[in-house]
Amino acid sequence: CIASCRPRGLERSKGVEVTNWGMRMAPMHQSGAAEPAVASLSSRGGPHPEETWRAAARWSLRRLVRAEAVVPYLRGFGFEAASSERWLQSPKDSRASLTLRVDGHAQHADHTWYKVECSIVNDSGTTLEWPAPRRLAQLREDLHDPIKEVMGDVYPAWFAGTPFAKRGAPRGTTARLRGWLLAMAEALNSGALPPDVAARVLLFFQAPLPQTLGVGSNFFAGCEA
């Protein structure tokens, strides 16, 4: 189980990056309706009522995959990890890959939502596709900021040419998000992101659990607000 609800940075041992990954708590208040609302948006159903968008606007990532569950969780999607900190095979070597594409944006419940389209292809030839509309604040606080902190000095090597979107969502935000998410997926697929961070990425985008994992599997741990 995750020992702390705060990110504790990056440890290095003999040149191998090891992550002590905790929960970054988003400042926005989250109601009990937020989690099912964002799960509904991250499915092929729709159109969704404005009440669903309004509830999902309050969502932040308040659970993670438990450290001891990272390996079976990722294996269900075709990613081969040795532990929560090290890959058995990098995703590209195991021929599993995550693709993230930003297909424009839309206005709902007084917020701008960036329409992220996600897909995972693995060695078995299985393709998993799903939508994951997210607000800029959610992408920043629950994805960009923790990943940047964990990667530390390695971050510029992957993202120098694809800076994250500026605050306030000025013109060009969609293009910046498109480039940043592409670079982030490339970092994950290459093995530059450790397995527990890869699991966080899949959980943030609400990747549908494959049947082999079982819907009731006890993979997740959360933090109290």
Side-chain angles (χ1 to χ4, degrees):
C1 202
I2 297 167
S4 172
C5 293
R6 299 174 185 273
R8 296 176 298 191
L10 192 67
E11 295 181 347
R12 288 177 174 83
S13 176
K14 298 181 180 180
V16 178
E17 294 178 358
V18 180
T19 310
N20 284 333
W21 188 261
M23 174 70 82
R24 176 185 294 276
M25 301 306 296
M28 65 182 74
H29 171 73
Q30 177 165 303
S31 70
E35 187 74 32
V38 83
S40 179
L41 297 183
S42 304
S43 67
R44 282 295 176 192
H48 302 282
E50 287 299 289
E51 301 86 68
T52 299
W53 292 99
R54 192 169 297 109
R58 310 297 295 179
W59 177 79
S60 61
L61 188 59
R62 294 183 180 274
R63 60 175 186 163
L64 294 177
V65 179
R66 295 162 55 236
E68 61 270 29
V70 166
V71 171
Y73 176 77
L74 290 175
R75 186 181 298 128
F77 297 99
F79 299 97
E80 294 294 338
S83 69
S84 64
E85 299 170 345
R86 290 181 174 85
W87 292 102
L88 182 63
Q89 289 183 306
S90 69
K92 66 178 180 181
D93 290 334
S94 61
R95 292 192 288 182
S97 64
L98 170 69
T99 300
L100 300 170
R101 178 173 59 87
V102 182
D103 188 23
H105 56 84
Q107 295 294 130
H108 293 284
D110 299 321
H111 293 288
T112 301
W113 296 83
Y114 295 90
K115 299 187 287 184
V116 183
E117 294 291 331
C118 313
S119 67
I120 295 174
V121 179
N122 60 36
D123 189 36
S124 68
T126 302
T127 301
L128 184 65
E129 298 179 327
W130 74 99
R134 297 292 183 269
R135 293 178 53 205
L136 179 58
Q138 293 165 339
L139 288 160
R140 182 188 303 280
E141 293 163 7
D142 286 330
L143 204 62
H144 166 268
D145 290 358
I147 286 176
K148 184 176 182 180
E149 182 171 347
V150 166
M151 293 189 79
D153 294 341
V154 180
Y155 182 87
W158 288 94
F159 297 97
T162 55
F164 193 74
K166 295 181 179 179
R167 295 184 182 276
R171 183 181 295 274
T173 294
T174 300
R176 278 184 172 240
L177 286 177
R178 188 175 289 123
W180 189 87
L181 288 172
L182 177 63
M184 191 271 289
E186 289 177 351
L188 188 156
N189 292 334
S190 72
L193 298 183
D196 55 354
V197 180
R200 181 191 180 105
V201 170
L202 298 185
L203 193 56
F204 173 81
F205 287 114
Q206 301 274 310
L209 284 177
Q211 292 183 351
T212 54
L213 291 178
V215 175
S217 298
N218 186 23
F219 290 118
F220 309 115
C223 289
E224 297 298 325

